[in-house]
Amino acid sequence: MKFTSVEDVQKGLSEANYIASREIATIVFLSAATQKPLLVEGPAGVGKTELAKAIAKTLGRDLIRLQCYEGLDEAKSLYEWEYAKQLLYTQIVKEKIHDVISESHTLSEAVDKIAEQEDAFFSERFIQTRPLLQAISSPEPVVLLIDEVDKSDPEFEAFLLELLSDFQVSIPELGTRKAVHIPFVVLTSNNYRDISDALKRRCLYLYIDYPDQELETRIVKMKVPGIQETLVQKLVHAIVKIRNMDLKKKPSISETLDWARSLIALQVQDLTPEVAIDTLNVICKYRADTELVKQSIAKIV
Amino acid sequence: MVNLIIKFVALCRTSDLKVSTSEALDCISQLQLINPVDEFQFKAVLNTNFVKTRRDQKHFDRLYSLYFHNLKLDVSHLENQDQGVDLYQEVLESLQDAENSNELEKAIVEFLSGNPLLLLEKLQKLRTSELISSQALKSNLGGLSGRLEIMLQINQTRSRMTRFMENQAGSAEIRSRKQIMDNLNRRLDVALNMLTEENKPYNEGLKQVKSGTQQGKGLGEKFFSSLSQSEVEEMRQVIKQLVRRLNDIVTRRWALKNRGTLDIKKTLRRAGRYHGIPIEVIYKKRPPRKGKIVTICDISGSVWSAARFMLNMLFSLQNCFAKVRSFVFISEIAEVTGIFEKHDINEAVEKVMTEAGIQYEALTDYGETFVRFKKTYMDVLNKKTTLIIVGDGRSNHFNPQDQILGEMRDKCRRVVWLNPEPERFWNSGDSEMNLYKAYCHEVRPCQNLSQLTSFIQELVL
């Protein structure tokens, strides 16, 4: 399926259980229309990864995910030769090699004969594809999610740049591989460090912030079906207030959802200060934060 | 439409937003895909192409509303529209024709006629001038007088405009005349606003570590500035232990983690022992990834007490990093890496105070330090460098030159600012912390050993 308009994107995403603001929808639409990668930034837990999943679901494509970390290299992201397998095969077919060279009289003749067989060892059979190569060579179009790209090293970023501008990679032993279909690429970043300008230039930039109260209410209602209207209102109201406090880590949407789910599990009907204090661990991930919220709980709930 | 966008791009560039040609092209081609009359979509397209970091967002919003809203030639409410447009032209022409008009005045008239480029250029120049004051006598008046000049010019233009309109009293209806006057006056107000309003930097992704609540009264919680001589010695011992522990952890990690790809050469050689059967598979050891550290320390007064412990720790942990380079400053900057490499830590700390060649009577000047750093040492920074600045950000009201810190940020991997003052004193008095904060990846207070330790641990592990 393809997106035809901004409204279409918004509708599609909401069917995939993702409520997108108009800004998000516009930029996702552009990204799909121009086949440019989408760079998503924002605080942790506002649904950056979730957006990629929703896009994949809406477009009916597979999602291939590459999680970045310090030290990630081509061998782990693109492809790797399976050396162990190659060695094993060499041992097994040793006899066969013997047959191949048995008729040759000189050493150089033998070497030539083996060279003819070289392809057998550097073939698809021994290549281990990693996410990036998978995304490029997949016969069906896919959504490629490159998660937390800011955690990777600058070298990897430069390599990514090459891939994202041409959508082709070269494997020395096999030749250049061009993308069968250009994947829908989503990069996410937590702003741990700045991403190079060159990479940014190739991407459409989208910043997802904490949602406003109305949007968050809608999200909770959709993701936690069966929750009571009054409880949602109270819950979201409290979260917004907690977010405005001076905390080490602000609760994001995922924490709101966790909180709502745990209240349901506890079969709580009404959010009282006591209940809130008992369940604070779900939304505050630091002890100092918990203390701070506890102190002003009367104002929050 | 294309012209409109190109003008806006020029505007963005003069105000320090990085917009490349390819981004402008993308933007124009993308505008054809959406409905440009829907302002929401229109703005979203411009936004996604021109703003590539959250820190530029406010800046962009300001320019956008200036260009597309405040400066729009709005005659729709006039009864006699043609006449209104004519009158506009007349006013502007008369202003342009003025004798001995200087460059500044031209910029303002251009601004009035809907093209703010020249004026913005002027403002930007004022904001980013990097003059090193040559002698001991320093002042921060350069920027101020520049601003004053523009302000006077704006007022002068306003009065000339009013005079012209009064002379034209008969030519148009009173009402439309008044409306045009209002419109032009409003624009001049916008110009004045731009001049006086500080560009408030804005940094969403900033990691700000809070000083936790004090627990206990141990050595770890004692302020660096209030240590007695014997406690300083004790502190050194504690640091030594800490460093040893950290070193151990780091070595163990590398031993475990760094199995690289197959080492064919070695595997084959080893296979020779077993009739060519590769029983033992040998992997390449990946060299440990080490970051480079560059520290810039304020060594005036109270800051130094914290900075020396940090330098002590960093240099003891040398083998965890590819390279540690240190600079110290008060108003000049000097490199002290050599001193720390050659001497034992105690000696080194003493030597820095005597040999670095820094004037101790001078007032701390962060701005000038940055200017000098940029001139001499900028090549020290690269994408693998973590820049650590230790200082209270108190710059004695000299020009803070915060945009240079921005350039430094672009050059290196991370910028961390350690401030030996408690947070509640930041931004008070002559502290420029708010400005500098905008360009840092992380700011944290650093008043006692436990805060310092947690920082170093995060840095190393």
Side-chain angles (χ1 to χ4, degrees):
Chain A
M1 114 157 229
K2 261 186 145 177
F3 293 131
T4 50
S5 70
V6 177
E7 289 72 25
D8 188 35
V9 176
Q10 215 165 7
K11 202 169 129 250
L13 287 180
S14 82
E15 274 163 17
N17 270 358
Y18 187 96
I19 298 183
S21 67
R22 266 176 82 195
E23 193 192 359
I24 295 178
T26 309
I27 293 168
V28 168
F29 168 71
L30 281 178
S31 172
T34 57
Q35 297 194 326
K36 282 187 82 141
L38 182 64
L39 171 63
V40 191
E41 270 190 351
V46 288
K48 299 188 289 291
T49 310
E50 211 54 39
L51 175 63
K53 287 183 188 161
I55 291 172
K57 206 168 167 191
T58 316
L59 292 173
R61 297 182 178 189
D62 279 339
L63 179 77
I64 294 180
R65 179 170 176 172
L66 174 69
Q67 176 71 42
C68 296
Y69 52 88
E70 222 168 312
L72 178 68
D73 56 9
E74 286 180 40
K76 296 219 177 72
S77 61
L78 192 60
Y79 72 93
E80 193 172 23
W81 289 106
E82 287 194 81
Y83 296 109
K85 204 170 165 189
Q86 277 171 331
L87 285 176
L88 198 63
Y89 272 60
T90 327
Q91 289 306 311
I92 296 171
V93 298
K94 215 172 173 182
E95 301 298 308
K96 198 78 201 151
I97 295 176
H98 209 73
D99 292 347
V100 171
I101 56 170
S102 62
E103 284 166 27
S104 53
H105 302 292
T106 64
L107 208 54
S108 61
E109 214 175 304
V111 171
D112 283 344
K113 279 203 169 144
I114 291 180
E116 283 166 23
Q117 313 292 324
E118 212 173 59
D119 285 349
F121 287 97
F122 285 105
S123 63
E124 304 273 326
R125 192 191 301 279
F126 296 106
I127 225 171
Q128 208 165 32
T129 55
R130 304 286 192 197
L132 292 181
L133 189 60
Q134 263 172 39
I136 278 190
S137 49
S138 155
E140 299 290 322
V142 294
V143 173
L144 172 64
L145 168 64
I146 303 176
D147 221 354
E148 302 192 323
V149 72
D150 52 335
K151 297 266 167 64
S152 67
D153 305 303
E155 293 91 347
F156 181 72
E157 215 180 284
F159 158 71
L160 210 57
L161 197 66
E162 188 193 330
L163 182 81
L164 292 183
S165 42
D166 299 341
F167 286 104
Q168 65 176 32
V169 289
S170 61
I171 302 171
E173 294 88 350
L174 293 181
T176 307
R177 290 289 196 82
K178 242 183 140 68
V180 184
H181 296 281
I182 292 185
F184 190 111
V185 184
V186 181
L187 302 112
T188 75
S189 152
N190 268 330
N191 214 347
Y192 176 75
R193 68 177 170 86
D194 290 349
I195 295 167
S196 73
D197 286 342
L199 185 59
K200 280 182 180 168
R201 205 152 46 232
R202 279 171 181 74
C203 299
L204 288 170
Y205 181 84
L206 172 65
Y207 187 90
I208 304 185
D209 211 342
Y210 296 118
D212 55 28
Q213 203 160 331
E214 188 252 320
L215 190 64
E216 191 159 17
T217 314
R218 273 171 59 202
I219 293 173
V220 174
K221 273 196 245 166
M222 189 183 65
K223 292 271 181 180
V224 190
I227 192 166
Q228 279 178 7
E229 177 73 33
T230 47
L231 187 59
V232 177
Q233 295 291 351
K234 265 195 164 173
L235 186 99
V236 173
H237 196 67
I239 282 281
V240 171
K241 275 197 174 155
I242 293 175
R243 225 171 258 159
N244 284 333
M245 288 170 70
D246 197 13
L247 298 182
K248 267 188 186 168
K249 188 192 172 304
K250 293 181 178 174
S252 57
I253 305 180
S254 56
E255 268 95 23
T256 316
L257 293 176
D258 285 347
W259 203 19
R261 287 198 190 105
S262 33
L263 290 183
I264 294 270
L266 292 171
Q267 299 187 328
V268 174
Q269 306 295 329
D270 187 28
L271 189 67
T272 57
E274 293 76 43
V275 174
I277 287 178
D278 288 345
T279 49
L280 264 189
N281 308 24
V282 183
I283 40 173
C284 295
K285 304 288 161 82
Y286 285 93
R287 215 184 58 140
D289 287 357
T290 322
E291 293 298 321
L292 208 66
V293 176
K294 256 186 205 167
Q295 277 166 23
S296 43
I297 198 79
K299 277 183 234 156
I300 292 167
V301 181
Chain B
M1 178 67 99
V2 173
N3 253 328
L4 192 74
I5 299 295
I6 286 175
K7 269 190 185 162
F8 185 65
V9 169
L11 212 63
C12 287
R13 285 191 187 137
T14 48
S15 346
D16 240 10
L17 287 179
K18 287 178 203 138
V19 180
S20 67
T21 314
S22 72
E23 279 161 332
L25 282 173
D26 284 344
C27 173
I28 290 167
S29 67
Q30 281 162 18
L31 279 175
Q32 285 156 8
L33 297 171
I34 53 130
N35 174 15
V37 188
D38 181 352
E39 193 190 335
F40 195 88
Q41 291 185 18
F42 178 75
K43 193 177 172 189
V45 171
L46 261 58
N47 208 343
T48 186
N49 279 299
F50 298 162
V51 183
K52 297 275 165 113
T53 145
R54 184 63 173 173
R55 293 181 307 135
D56 288 340
Q57 185 63 50
K58 287 243 160 110
H59 217 73
F60 172 83
D61 287 343
R62 257 209 347 257
L63 283 177
Y64 182 87
S65 70
L66 172 73
Y67 187 69
F68 290 104
H69 292 285
N70 287 343
L71 290 181
K72 213 163 46 183
L73 187 68
D74 191 10
V75 287
S76 53
H77 55 277
L78 295 183
E79 281 163 25
N80 192 343
Q81 295 199 358
D82 288 342
Q83 199 186 5
V85 176
D86 285 348
L87 195 55
Y88 260 120
Q89 292 303 335
E90 263 176 62
V91 178
L92 292 174
E93 268 166 33
S94 85
L95 286 174
Q96 267 161 0
D97 288 344
E99 295 154 40
N100 60 30
S101 72
N102 54 14
E103 219 177 302
L104 192 58
E105 184 160 13
K106 223 184 266 163
I108 293 172
V109 175
E110 284 267 295
F111 182 86
L112 277 181
S113 48
N115 183 8
L117 189 63
L118 276 174
L119 190 64
L120 275 177
E121 244 169 34
K122 285 235 169 326
L123 286 178
Q124 184 67 12
K125 234 197 212 150
L126 264 184
R127 229 167 52 76
T128 56
S129 63
E130 292 170 14
L131 288 171
I132 299 187
S133 47
S134 47
Q135 348 68 11
L137 194 64
K138 287 196 232 173
S139 83
N140 195 15
L141 287 179
L144 198 64
S145 67
R147 266 167 218 229
L148 205 63
E149 195 185 337
I150 299 182
M151 200 186 290
L152 288 175
Q153 190 65 56
I154 289 178
N155 285 340
Q156 202 183 333
T157 311
R158 194 194 297 267
S159 63
R160 279 199 18 227
M161 201 173 73
T162 321
R163 231 177 304 139
F164 176 83
M165 289 304 256
E166 274 163 7
N167 290 342
Q168 295 282 312
S171 67
E173 314 164 43
I174 297 173
R175 251 185 62 205
S176 60
R177 219 173 61 221
K178 190 170 172 322
Q179 273 162 344
I180 288 171
M181 270 307 279
D182 284 351
N183 203 331
L184 288 174
N185 268 326
R186 218 191 51 231
R187 283 189 197 179
L188 282 177
D189 288 341
V190 170
L192 263 182
N193 256 339
M194 271 167 38
L195 189 64
T196 45
E197 145 193 310
E198 280 290 329
N199 261 340
K200 284 214 188 66
Y202 172 78
N203 191 355
E204 182 98 339
L206 178 76
K207 180 175 171 195
Q208 190 157 4
V209 177
K210 300 274 154 47
S211 50
T213 43
Q214 281 210 0
Q215 298 149 354
K217 294 263 178 286
L219 198 56
E221 301 296 332
K222 243 191 162 157
F223 288 165
F224 286 132
S225 45
S226 58
L227 291 176
S228 69
Q229 191 58 40
S230 65
E231 276 170 331
V232 168
E233 284 307 314
E234 205 180 322
M235 191 75 109
R236 294 235 163 88
Q237 287 304 319
V238 176
I239 288 182
K240 223 179 228 171
Q241 282 173 15
L242 252 170
V243 163
R244 203 172 313 133
R245 214 173 58 216
L246 279 176
N247 260 333
D248 284 352
I249 298 177
V250 170
T251 343
R252 211 176 320 138
R253 274 215 184 161
W254 281 336
L256 274 180
K257 184 181 129 196
N258 282 290
R259 210 179 72 170
T261 51
L262 184 82
D263 189 339
I264 297 194
K265 228 166 136 191
K266 274 192 186 157
T267 307
L268 287 181
R269 207 175 297 148
R270 195 63 64 87
R273 289 186 197 167
Y274 312 101
H275 296 284
I277 302 165
I279 288 178
E280 283 179 69
V281 178
I282 296 169
Y283 294 92
K284 278 181 189 154
K285 288 240 161 56
R286 216 181 285 137
R289 249 160 231 283
K290 294 180 182 182
K292 240 176 79 182
I293 306 271
V294 172
T295 60
I296 302 181
C297 297
D298 184 348
I299 53 169
S300 64
S302 60
V303 185
W304 177 236
S305 57
R308 64 179 168 182
F309 286 115
M310 203 213 53
L311 285 178
N312 185 345
M313 270 192 160
L314 278 183
F315 275 88
S316 322
L317 284 168
Q318 284 248 18
N319 60 345
C320 297
F321 309 113
K323 175 94 185 151
V324 182
R325 290 187 74 165
S326 320
F327 300 86
V328 293
F329 70 93
I330 290 181
S331 77
E332 293 151 75
I333 186 161
E335 183 165 2
V336 293
T337 316
I339 300 183
F340 276 93
E341 278 170 352
K342 268 186 235 138
H343 300 279
D344 179 57
I345 199 74
N346 285 350
E347 268 176 69
V349 168
E350 300 307 316
K351 275 200 174 351
V352 166
M353 299 306 276
T354 51
E355 285 181 14
I358 280 192
Q359 277 193 326
Y360 288 96
E361 306 84 60
L363 291 169
T364 321
D365 184 346
Y366 280 76
E368 185 157 335
T369 304
F370 287 143
V371 173
R372 283 176 196 265
F373 184 87
K374 185 184 168 191
K375 250 180 135 178
T376 335
Y377 300 116
M378 206 57 165
D379 55 321
V380 168
L381 303 177
N382 63 27
K383 277 287 170 203
K384 292 206 165 154
T385 329
T386 303
L387 176 65
I388 303 173
I389 301 175
V390 189
D392 52 7
R394 296 199 177 276
S395 195
N396 294 305
H397 299 293
F398 290 129
N399 188 351
Q401 303 278 21
D402 51 311
Q403 80 282 355
I404 299 186
L405 187 62
E407 284 171 41
M408 282 153 74
R409 177 191 164 114
D410 286 344
K411 281 254 163 73
C412 60
R413 181 176 161 83
R414 269 173 85 69
V415 180
V416 184
W417 192 296
L418 300 182
N419 195 329
E421 283 186 353
E423 291 105 318
R424 60 178 180 280
F425 294 133
W426 299 2
N427 311 322
S428 64
D430 57 349
S431 171
E432 305 280 4
M433 223 30 218
N434 237 356
L435 277 179
Y436 291 138
K437 218 161 81 175
Y439 296 103
C440 297
H441 288 92
E442 191 176 334
V443 291
R444 50 201 303 160
C446 179
Q447 313 153 53
N448 56 35
L449 187 62
S450 46
Q451 281 170 358
L452 182 61
T453 314
S454 71
F455 166 66
I456 299 272
Q457 252 166 7
E458 239 174 75
L459 189 69
V460 175
L461 301 181

